[in-house]
C-alpha cells in the first residue's frame, strides 16, 4: 500500500529486527527471504541487523546456513547474487534463549544495540511463534526494556495469526498486549492482504468507473469466495487440530477478502479510512448460526495418482478429532448496498486443486431479447483469481460468428503472467516494507478483529459444544456434498 519513497528518508536511522521463533518454518521460508528481497531492492536502511531469537542452541554460522537455503536470486540474478547474499547474511545474527528468560532478552538487547552510542536504532519485533507465547514474550521483553525507545526512534511489533480462538480469548490477548505495545505499534498480519491480486481489489473497484454503478444488490446475485489447498496438514497437525479451518482461514483470510470486496470507497487511501470501511462491513454481518455453516473433514483418497491418508490417520491427529478441514458458510451483509445478496465463503484442505478466487455473479438479463437462444447462457461473472495463477476475467455473452444468432459465453481475460513482465512480490515482502514505513492499511486493527470474531464465535462454540461431526469427503475431491446443498439453498451452484 505504501508508496515506498519514505524509506529513503528513514535510511539514515539504523534498524534492528528481532525475529522470535527464528528457527521455525515461517521465519526461514517467508520472513528471511522477504527481508532479503527488500535488501536486494535497496529497501532496507543502510545500517540494519536482523537477530534471530529461539530456544535452539545454534552458532551464528549454523543459523546463517539455514537462512541461506531459502534465499533466492529473484531480484539479483547472476553473479551479483552470491555477493548480495553474503552481505545480507553478515547482518544476520542469532541469539538463543528461553521466551521468558530475562537473561536471554538482555543478550538480545545488546545484539540489537550495536550501532554506536549516538545512534538510536528503530526496533522491529517479529513474533513468528505460537500465539500462546505472545504475552510471555511481550512481558519479558518489557521487563528487559527491549521495546522502549528514545523519542527519535520507533519500536513496532508484528503478530502472526491466530489472534485468540474466539472473541473472549482474542480480547484478552489484545488487552494484555496493549500493556506493552500501543495499537499504533501493533501490526497484526493477515498475509492474504499482501497478495498482489488482493491489493488490486481496491484499484479494480475504485479506479474503474464501470464497476461503480453495478457493484450492488441491483446487479449482483451473489459472491463466492473460495479457498482450497490440495495438501493435508503437512506436519502442522498439532496447530491445525487445535484451530481447524474456520479459525485458520475463514475467520481471517476469507472475511478480509469479503470486506474488501464489499466495503464502501474510503475517503482517503489511509489506514484509518480503509480500516473504518472494512469494520463497517464486518459489523453489518450477523453472527453465523449452525444453519449457515457446513463442515467437513477429509478421508483417505487418491490424488494425482497417489494415495493420501485421511485426516484422522495423519500423524499427531487424535483418532476421534472433529476438527474441520473444510468449511462453507453463507454470510449476509445488512446494508443498503448488499441486502439480500449472499456471500458464500468456503475453504478446504485436501481438495482437488490449490485455488483461491472470488467470483462475482451478476443477475440475469431481464426480458432477454435473445431468449430462447440464450436459455443456457449463464449471466456475467467477474472472476478474480488470487492463485495459483493471478488472473482477472470477466465472462460475457457474445454472438458465435455465423449466419444465425447463436450465443456463447466468453472470457475477457487479464493474466498477470503475460500482462505484466515484472516480478510479483511475495505478500511478506510487501507487508514487511509497510511495517518499516509505518503504513498499517494492510494490517488488522483491534476493532476489525473483534468484528470478525463476533461473526464466527457463536457458531464455533455451537459446533464444539454440540460435538457436530464434520461430513467426510475424499482427499482430492471438491469437498463435502452438504456444501453443494447449502449453496443451492441460496440459488448458487458450486
Ligand atoms: C496460512 C494457513 O495462513 O495460509 C495455512 O495457516 C495455509 O493453513 C496458508 O496453508 C496458505 O497460504 P498461501 O499463501 O500459501 O496460500
Amino acid at each position: 500500500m505504501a508508496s515506498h519513497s519514505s524509506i529513503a528518508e528513514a535510511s539514515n536511522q539504523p534498524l534492528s529486527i528481532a525475529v522470535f521463533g527464528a528457527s521455525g518454518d515461517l521465519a526461514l521460508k517467508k520472513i528471511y527471504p522477504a527481508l532479503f528481497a527488500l535488501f536486494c531492492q535497496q529497501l532496507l536502511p543502510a545500517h540494519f541487523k536482523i537477530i534471530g531469537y529461539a530456544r535452539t542452541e545454534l552458532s551464528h554460522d549454523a543459523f546463517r546456513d539455514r537462512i541461506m537455503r531459502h534465499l533466492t536470486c529473484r531480484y539479483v540474478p547472476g553473479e551479483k547474487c552470491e555477493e548480495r547474499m553474503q552481505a545480507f547474511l553478515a547482518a544476520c545474527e542469532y541469539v538463543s534463549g528461553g521466551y521468558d528468560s530475562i537473561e536471554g532478552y538482555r543478550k538480545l538487547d545488546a545484539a540489537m544495540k550495536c550501532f554506536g552510542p549516538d545512534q538510536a536504532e528503530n526496533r522491529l519485533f517479529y513474533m513468528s511463534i505460537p500465539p500462546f507465547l505472545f504475552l510471555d514474550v511481550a512481558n519479558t521483553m518489557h521487563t528487559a526494556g527491549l521495546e522502549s525507545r528514545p523519542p527519535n526512534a520507533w519500536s513496532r511489533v508484528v503478530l502472526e495469526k491466530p489472534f485468540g480462538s474466539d472473541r473472549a480469548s482474542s480480547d484478552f490477548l489484545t488487552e494484555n498486549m496493549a500493556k506493552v505495545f500501543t495499537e499504533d505499534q501493533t501490526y497484526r498480519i493477515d498475509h492474504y492482504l499482501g497478495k498482489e491480486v488482493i491489493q488490486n481489489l481496491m484499484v479494480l473497484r475504485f479506479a474503474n468507473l464501470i464497476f461503480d454503478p453495478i457493484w450492488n444488490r441491483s446487479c449482483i446475485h451473489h459472491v463466492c469466495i473460495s479457498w482450497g489447498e490440495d495438501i493435508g496438514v503437512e506436519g502442522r497437525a498439532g496447530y491445525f487440530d487445535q484451530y481447524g479451518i474456520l479459525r485458520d482461514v475463514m475467520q481471517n483470510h476469507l472475511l478480509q477478502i469479503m470486506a474488501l470486496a464489499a466495503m464502501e470507497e474510503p475517503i482517503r487511501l489511509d489506514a484509518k479510512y480503509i480500516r473504518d470501511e472494512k469494520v463497517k462491513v464486518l459489523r453489518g454481518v450477523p453472527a453465523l448460526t449452525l444453519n449457515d455453516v457446513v463442515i467437513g473433514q477429509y478421508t483417505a483418497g487418491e490424488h494425482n495418482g497417489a494415495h493420501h491418508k485421511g485426516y484422522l490417520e495423519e500423524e499427531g491427529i487424535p483418532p476421534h478429532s472433529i476438527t474441520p478441514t473444510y468449511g462453507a458458510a453463507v454470510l449476509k451483509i445488512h446494508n443498503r448496498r448488499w441486502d439480500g445478496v449472499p456471500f458464500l465463503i468456503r475453504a478446504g484442505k485436501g481438495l482437488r486443486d490449490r485455488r483461491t478466487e472470488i467470483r462475482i455473479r451478476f443477475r440475469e438479463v431481464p426480458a432477454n431479447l435473445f431468449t430462447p437462444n440464450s436459455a443456457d447462457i449463464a449471466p456475467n461473472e467477474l472472476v478474480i483469481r488470487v492463485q495459483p495463477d493471478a488472473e482477472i476475467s470477466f465472462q460475457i455473452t457474445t454472438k458465435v460468428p455465423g449466419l444465425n444468432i447463436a450465443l456463447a459465453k466468453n472470457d475477457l481475460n487479464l493474466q498477470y503472467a503475460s500482462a505484466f513482465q515484472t516480478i510479483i512480490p511475495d505478500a511478506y515482502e510487501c507487508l514487511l516494507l509497510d511495517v518499516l514505513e509505518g503504513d498499517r492499511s494492510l494490517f488488522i486493527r483491534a476493532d476489525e478483529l473483534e468484528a470478525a470474531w463476533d461473526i464466527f464465535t457463536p457458531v464455533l462454540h455451537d459446533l464444539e459444544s454440540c460435538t457436530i461431526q464434520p461430513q467426510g469427503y475424499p482427499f482430492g475431491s471438491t469437498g463435502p456434498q452438504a456444501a453443494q446443498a447449502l449453496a443451492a439453498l441460496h440459488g448458487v451452484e458450486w
Side-chain angles (χ1 to χ4, degrees):
M1 265 306 142
S3 65
H4 304 166
S5 52
S6 48
I7 200 87
E9 292 157 27
S11 63
N12 286 333
Q13 183 124 0
L15 168 71
S16 279
I17 303 177
V19 181
F20 293 96
S23 53
D25 255 20
L26 177 71
L28 293 172
K29 290 187 182 157
K30 292 290 183 185
I31 302 167
Y32 280 98
L35 290 169
F36 179 59
L38 296 180
F39 173 70
C40 292
Q41 294 168 86
Q42 293 172 338
L43 290 168
L44 291 184
H47 301 288
F48 72 95
K49 282 177 88 173
I50 308 170
I51 301 113
Y53 188 91
R55 281 179 291 226
T56 321
E57 292 271 349
L58 280 175
S59 68
H60 294 308
D61 283 342
F63 184 60
R64 288 180 186 129
D65 275 352
R66 289 197 188 185
I67 300 173
M68 199 165 88
R69 283 183 229 147
H70 299 276
L71 303 183
T72 68
C73 298
R74 284 193 309 150
Y75 291 100
V76 270
E79 287 163 18
K80 286 232 149 170
C81 186
E82 175 66 23
E83 191 191 300
R84 297 308 287 158
M85 275 189 194
Q86 292 312 327
F88 176 76
L89 290 169
C92 295
E93 291 179 13
Y94 183 79
V95 172
S96 71
Y99 289 118
D100 55 358
S101 150
I102 301 266
E103 195 201 326
Y105 285 34
R106 296 219 165 103
K107 280 195 266 165
L108 178 60
D109 189 39
M112 290 182 96
K113 266 181 191 138
C114 296
F115 290 103
D118 308 328
Q119 294 219 285
E121 75 283 357
N122 292 324
R123 292 187 169 192
L124 169 62
F125 301 97
Y126 199 117
M127 299 223 190
S128 173
I129 44 176
F132 69 86
L133 290 170
F134 287 172
L135 289 177
D136 275 354
V137 170
N139 290 332
T140 319
M141 201 193 272
H142 186 55
T143 314
L146 253 70
E147 86 294 3
S148 98
R149 305 306 303 131
N152 61 341
W154 52 252
S155 74
R156 296 177 185 152
V157 66
V158 180
L159 302 176
E160 277 283 343
K161 70 161 186 62
F163 312 114
S165 56
D166 59 7
R167 172 70 201 264
S169 52
S170 166
D171 285 358
F172 179 82
L173 183 63
T174 305
E175 277 159 29
N176 287 290
M177 282 299 295
K179 293 177 184 159
V180 182
F181 290 100
T182 64
E183 181 64 21
D184 285 358
Q185 292 175 291
T186 305
Y187 291 71
R188 296 182 194 85
I189 268 201
D190 181 316
H191 77 283
Y192 268 66
L193 294 183
K195 293 201 181 235
E196 192 58 51
V197 177
I198 299 298
Q199 289 195 59
N200 190 30
L201 263 177
M202 280 216 293
V203 178
L204 189 72
R205 288 192 54 200
F206 304 126
N208 292 290
L209 184 63
I210 190 164
F211 293 121
D212 192 41
I214 59 172
W215 208 265
N216 54 47
R217 64 195 297 273
S218 319
C219 297
I220 294 180
H221 181 264
H222 65 262
V223 177
C224 287
I225 302 171
S226 306
W227 181 98
E229 276 185 345
D230 58 355
I231 51 173
V233 287
E234 306 268 311
R236 292 168 80 220
Y239 157 80
F240 192 85
D241 198 63
Q242 191 187 346
Y243 288 96
I245 202 79
L246 275 69
R247 293 182 172 98
D248 186 40
V249 173
M250 295 176 75
Q251 180 271 352
N252 32 66
H253 302 328
L254 299 196
L255 281 189
Q256 283 296 321
I257 296 176
M258 185 185 98
L260 286 172
M263 72 185 197
E264 300 301 314
E265 184 172 15
I267 54 174
R268 276 213 305 271
L269 266 191
D270 172 300
K272 170 177 164 34
Y273 298 107
I274 295 172
R275 299 193 296 181
D276 283 353
E277 294 306 335
K278 285 198 289 164
V279 174
K280 278 193 225 159
V281 172
L282 297 172
R283 293 223 169 109
V285 178
L288 290 166
T289 68
L290 287 176
N291 290 335
D292 307 316
V293 169
V294 159
I295 54 168
Q297 192 180 70
Y298 63 81
T299 54
E302 301 299 314
H303 183 53
N304 290 338
H307 176 78
H308 201 289
K309 287 180 195 164
Y311 180 70
L312 297 181
E313 291 105 53
E314 301 265 23
E315 204 182 317
I317 300 295
H320 303 294
S321 170
I322 55 164
T323 298
T325 59
Y326 181 99
V330 181
L331 300 110
K332 296 283 174 59
I333 303 173
H334 275 298
N335 65 22
R336 205 168 257 241
R337 185 185 285 273
W338 296 114
D339 190 35
V341 178
F343 280 72
L344 291 93
I345 61 176
R346 60 177 168 178
K349 292 205 178 251
L351 295 181
R352 192 174 54 197
D353 308 305
R354 171 175 180 256
R355 181 177 294 226
T356 302
E357 63 184 22
I358 312 162
R359 300 184 90 94
I360 294 146
R361 173 65 86 92
F362 291 87
R363 292 190 183 278
E364 289 184 0
V365 175
N368 195 333
L369 191 59
F370 299 99
T371 307
N373 317 46
S374 67
D376 50 0
I377 300 292
N380 302 112
E381 192 167 38
L382 179 66
V383 181
I384 300 164
R385 185 160 301 144
V386 182
Q387 51 201 33
D389 301 314
E391 177 178 326
I392 299 174
S393 67
F394 191 52
Q395 298 181 347
I396 53 162
T397 301
T398 49
K399 178 181 175 303
V400 178
L403 298 180
N404 53 5
I405 300 226
L407 308 187
K409 200 171 161 184
N410 271 290
D411 265 4
L412 303 177
N413 198 341
L414 169 73
Q415 291 179 332
Y416 276 49
S418 49
F420 306 106
Q421 312 298 322
T422 178
I423 300 172
I424 298 190
D426 184 74
Y428 278 89
E429 284 170 41
C430 162
L431 294 173
L432 275 163
L433 184 54
D434 281 357
V435 178
L436 299 185
E437 297 189 346
D439 183 344
R440 281 171 292 128
S441 323
L442 298 180
F443 297 83
I444 315 298
R445 202 169 60 187
D447 55 349
E448 268 182 275
L449 188 57
E450 290 167 10
W453 276 124
D454 282 344
I455 298 171
F456 270 90
T457 296
V459 79
L460 284 163
H461 287 175
D462 287 350
L463 286 166
E464 284 153 8
S465 61
C466 305
T467 45
I468 306 272
Q469 291 294 329
Q471 193 180 69
Y473 62 95
F475 195 103
S477 67
T478 54
Q481 279 172 357
Q484 318 293 335
L486 177 71
L489 284 178
H490 297 271
V492 178
E493 208 178 304
W494 246 344

